[in-house]
């Protein structure tokens, strides 16, 4: 992961520099947006993180940032997601605004609010501070009524732009607006005529409705701009300088291409600087999580396994146009090791070439939530922490006593608590089976030949008398080999014997270190000859 960036300057800083070169000013407006049509998942999160990192780039250069986040909750509820309760009730609200659909969990004022509040809480955990804009409120309070009239007045210009990319051109009576029917609240309607001022006529195409109506654009809240017009219209209203977009919006003739022309030719503004981001996939999602949630992984799910700074680090480590997979399997250990190495490099504790160290420092800054610690936080190695936790039946309090001397301040404490919680969660929910063990509570009897019995007797004696003189794993490892050879035994069967006595398995963590981590009292009890 640390190899993913090779440039001298981070992409977030390069983007900030480009924005400043384009126009040097005090405050920049950066925008992101998501439609709360269902659970907002981890793939959507790249939309926010991309903007967040560019915001950090601008702030580092002394600029102010207005980070707006558009909840497109006046969009139509098009599909009932399979993972939600009350499917039948929800399906009655199809084609109505998402904001008018009830929360199937009964916790929030609407379906939209349920997903919005949940995601906003997750953003907070990630240290992201933004200004949400609820598009339903904007539309319902008439904030865009002049823009809607302008859009209707310039419908031929818009049709001309859209037709450049269409195989069949839009018909002459096409209208660049959608209307939520006053009678059934669905957008299965056709706008039939516009008087050039404020009157728009429409018919409802729903079989069970067929309402014909007329709305006053100065007072109605039922007219909405479809996405291709809505997006550039909002750029002009909010004066957006930067906005990222997913692959689906970025193709030739896709919504960004047409929005760029529409914003200048219709709304008299310019397109923001645009950065396309690629997909994020999830690897090694096993056990509990996948069965209950299908393929949807949220920021919360990721935070169950990774510290928030690590999640930010992962995004900061990849250029936006590179897709990456986030692992829940054995790679979790490697990711923790990579993060720790980057952190040591950022603090000058681990050497590296100048370019690498400079990039590690910047990526580390970008991954921080709150103040940058002046001293490097304590790094409990993830693999070892997993062993300590399992030796202590996943009891974090007991595991902490192993690290008492290393936890020196509040940041160390937070690091230990956050990491231990995640390691325990990972072991219980997605670690591979061969990684899991629990320490035997009582000694187990195992058939041994004479040589093996003698070896065990000698090892027990050695550990009992010399425990406090064993200074490192290597020393114990070498002594064990000497004792094994003295009995003319093969190492592998002996190790198997010891693992069986300690954890009832044939294999386990590296033995010498493992014995020392378990501690004298319990080792002597379990290895009693
Ligand atoms: Zn209707």
């Amino acid at each position: 992961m640390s190899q993913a960036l090779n440039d001298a300057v981070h992409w977030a800083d390069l983007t900030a520099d480009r924005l400043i070169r384009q126009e040097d000013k005090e405050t920049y407006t950066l925008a992101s947006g998501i439609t709360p049509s269902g659970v907002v998942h981890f793939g959507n999160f790249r939309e926010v993180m991309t903007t967040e990192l560019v915001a950090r780039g601008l702030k580092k250069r002394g600029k102010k940032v207005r980070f707006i986040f558009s909840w497109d909750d006046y969009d139509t509820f098009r599909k009932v997601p399979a993972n939600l309760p009350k499917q039948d009730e929800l399906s009655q609200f199809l084609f109505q605004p998402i904001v008018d659909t009830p929360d199937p969990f009964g916790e929030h004022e609407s379906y939209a609010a349920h997903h919005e509040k949940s995601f906003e809480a997750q953003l907070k955990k990630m240290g992201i501070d933004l200004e949400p804009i609820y598009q339903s409120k904007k539309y319902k309070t008439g904030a865009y009524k002049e823009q809607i009239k302008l859009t209707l007045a310039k419908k031929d210009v818009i049709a001309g732009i859209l037709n450049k990319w269409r195989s069949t051109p839009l018909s002459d009576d096409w209208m660049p607006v959608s209307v939520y029917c006053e009678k059934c609240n669905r957008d299965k309607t056709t706008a039939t005529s516009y008087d050039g001022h404020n009157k728009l006529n429409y018919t409802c195409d729903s079989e069970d409705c067929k309402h014909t109506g007329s709305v006053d654009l100065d007072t109605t809240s039922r007219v909405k701009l479809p996405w291709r017009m809505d997006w550039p219209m909002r750029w002009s209203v909010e004066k957006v300088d930067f906005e990222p977009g997913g692959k689906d919006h970025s193709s030739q003739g896709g919504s960004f291409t047409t929005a760029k022309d529409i914003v200048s030719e219709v709304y008299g503004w310019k397109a923001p600087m645009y950065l396309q981001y690629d997909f994020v996939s999830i690897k090694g999602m096993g056990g509990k999580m996948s069965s209950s949630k299908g393929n949807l992984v949220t920021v919360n799910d990721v935070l169950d396994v990774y510290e928030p700074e690590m999640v930010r680090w992962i995004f900061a480590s990849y250029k936006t146009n590179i897709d990456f997979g986030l692992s829940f399997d054995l790679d979790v250990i490697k990711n923790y090791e990579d993060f720790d190495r980057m952190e040591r490099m950022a603090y000058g504790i681990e050497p590296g070439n100048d370019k690498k160290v400079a990039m590690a420092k910047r990526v580390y800054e970008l991954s921080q939530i709150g103040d940058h610690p002046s001293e490097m936080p304590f790094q409990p190695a993830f693999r070892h922490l997993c062993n300590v936790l399992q030796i202590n039946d996943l009891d974090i309090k007991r595991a902490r006593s192993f690290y008492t001397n290393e936890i020196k301040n509040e940041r160390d404490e937070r690091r230990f608590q956050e990491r231990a919680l995640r390691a325990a969660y990972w072991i219980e929910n997605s670690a591979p089976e061969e990684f899991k063990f629990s320490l035997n509570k009582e000694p187990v009897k195992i058939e041994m030949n004479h040589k093996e019995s003698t070896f065990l007797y000698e090892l027990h004696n050695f550990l009992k008398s010399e425990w406090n003189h064993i200074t490192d794993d290597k020393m114990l490892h070498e002594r064990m080999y000497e004792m094994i050879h003295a009995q003319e035994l093969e190492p592998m069967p002996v190790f198997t014997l010891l693992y069986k006595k300690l954890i009832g398995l044939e294999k386990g963590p590296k033995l010498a270190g493992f014995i020392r981590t378990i501690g004298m009292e319990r080792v002597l009890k379990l290895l009693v000859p």
Side-chain angles (χ1 to χ4, degrees), residues 456-464 524-525 527-529:
L456 192 63
Y457 178 80
E458 289 189 351
L459 176 65
H460 195 269
N461 268 351
F462 170 76
L463 292 172
K464 197 171 174 180
L524 292 180
K525 181 181 170 187
L527 294 187
V528 69

Side-chain angles (χ1 to χ4, degrees), residues 180-189 202-212:
Y180 284 114
C181 172
E182 292 157 290
K183 214 172 144 199
C184 72
N185 204 26
R186 286 176 287 209
D187 78 339
K188 289 173 113 177
T189 57
Y202 71 95
T203 56
C204 181
D205 306 321
S206 292
E207 282 306 324
D208 57 352
C209 180
K210 293 283 180 191
H211 177 68
T212 299

